[in-house]
Amino acid sequence: QSVLTQPPSVSAAPGQKVTISCSGSSSNIGNNYVSWYQQLPGTAPKLLIYDNNKRPSGIPDRFSGSKSGTSATLGITGLQTGDEADYYCGTWDSSLSESWVFGGGTKLTVL
Amino acid sequence: QVQLQESGPGLVKPSQTLSLTCTVSGGSISSGGYYWSWIRQHPGKGLEWIGYIYYSGSTYYNPSLKSRVTISVDTSKNQFSLKLSSVTAADTAVYYCAREDRGIAVAGVRGWFDPWGQGTLVTVSS
């Protein structure tokens, strides 16, 4: 059971837009910054978004992040078959058991 | 650019100690400014952060694993290592090392993991 809640799967057609939600609480998303990671099949996770909404160099602007209250959202526009991957949100949890926490992951299928 | 590479045994017997090393290239651990983390992923599951170390040797571990985890650093070799004791089948996972970057924030914790090593599968079995 992950501290952050993500939908297990989302799907959309090529060229369409999709959003992936990440729900937490005041001890994590509500008071800390969120990052997002893309894990292509058989590979290591790769940083996609940091500081809630910033993209590292090399990440196309088709990828965007936002945060509101205790939830965060990853948006992907102009979907490509190469975007098929697992996506994870992560943040610091400031509860009694302080640690980095991640969502359970969302599998994106581009139909 | 900075690259990380995990190494270590792929098979560990139950009750023994899992030992992995992460070699950093393209940058120096001693330069500071970053934390160096271990993260694992159980087969078909999500990510679990294990702990981090700073170049000075200061560490912080996930409370759920703290009693069994030791992370150390060897700046002369530009490596940091993970030891997980008393392993069981539940410790079978892909283990990743990653650089943890932190930003200054007025409030809250700003941090992210980039880059990651390619990961190494460790199976706990007799």
Side-chain angles (χ1 to χ4, degrees), chain B residues 15 35 42 52 54-55 59 69 76 92 95 101 113 117-118 124:
Chain B
S15 79
Y35 297 81
H42 294 103
Y52 68 61
Y54 197 56
Y55 80 97
T59 56
V69 173
S76 67
T92 293
Y95 286 77
D101 202 349
F113 298 97
Q118 66 183 30
V124 179

Side-chain angles (χ1 to χ4, degrees), chain B:
Chain B
Q1 72 280 20
V2 173
Q3 293 182 310
L4 289 76
Q5 176 71 57
E6 305 88 350
S7 60
L11 181 64
V12 181
K13 289 183 167 49
S15 79
Q16 293 191 342
T17 297
L18 177 160
S19 296
L20 295 173
T21 296
C22 182
T23 301
V24 179
S25 59
S28 174
I29 289 179
S30 299
S31 62
Y34 299 101
Y35 297 81
W36 303 90
S37 276
W38 287 97
I39 297 163
R40 69 180 181 179
Q41 185 171 33
H42 294 103
K45 302 295 185 182
L47 302 168
E48 180 180 29
W49 177 74
I50 299 170
Y52 68 61
I53 191 164
Y54 197 56
Y55 80 97
S56 61
S58 64
T59 56
Y60 186 80
Y61 304 136
N62 187 325
S64 68
L65 296 168
K66 183 180 180 179
S67 63
R68 299 193 292 130
V69 173
T70 302
I71 298 177
S72 58
V73 65
D74 186 337
T75 54
S76 67
K77 295 182 179 178
N78 220 28
Q79 297 174 333
F80 63 105
S81 299
L82 168 70
K83 290 189 185 299
L84 182 65
S85 64
S86 305
V87 297
T88 69
D91 294 308
T92 293
V94 174
Y95 286 77
Y96 296 100
C97 56
R99 186 181 70 177
E100 180 188 324
D101 202 349
R102 295 278 186 101
I104 298 173
V106 173
V109 175
R110 285 178 65 198
W112 55 93
F113 298 97
D114 180 54
W116 298 57
Q118 66 183 30
T120 186
L121 174 63
V122 178
T123 301
V124 179
S125 174
S126 55

Side-chain angles (χ1 to χ4, degrees), chain A residues 2 31-35 37 39 42-47 49-51 54 56 86 88 90-92 94 96-105, chain B residues 37 39 41 44-49 52 60-63 96 100-119:
Chain A
S2 300
N31 284 288
N32 297 301
Y33 290 72
V34 177
S35 54
Y37 304 88
Q39 186 174 33
T43 69
K46 171 186 171 184
L47 179 67
I49 297 288
Y50 68 101
D51 278 0
K54 297 178 182 174
D86 293 323
Y88 295 91
T91 189
W92 180 258
S94 308
L96 285 176
S97 298
E98 290 189 303
S99 73
W100 289 105
V101 293
F102 296 94
Chain B
S37 276
I39 297 163
Q41 185 171 33
K45 302 295 185 182
L47 302 168
E48 180 180 29
W49 177 74
Y52 68 61
Y60 186 80
Y61 304 136
N62 187 325
Y96 296 100
E100 180 188 324
D101 202 349
R102 295 278 186 101
I104 298 173
V106 173
V109 175
R110 285 178 65 198
W112 55 93
F113 298 97
D114 180 54
W116 298 57
Q118 66 183 30

Side-chain angles (χ1 to χ4, degrees), chain A residues 1-20:
Chain A
Q1 194 82 345
S2 300
V3 173
L4 306 179
T5 302
Q6 297 181 234
S9 63
V10 296
S11 62
Q16 296 299 303
K17 172 184 177 179
V18 71
T19 60
I20 298 173

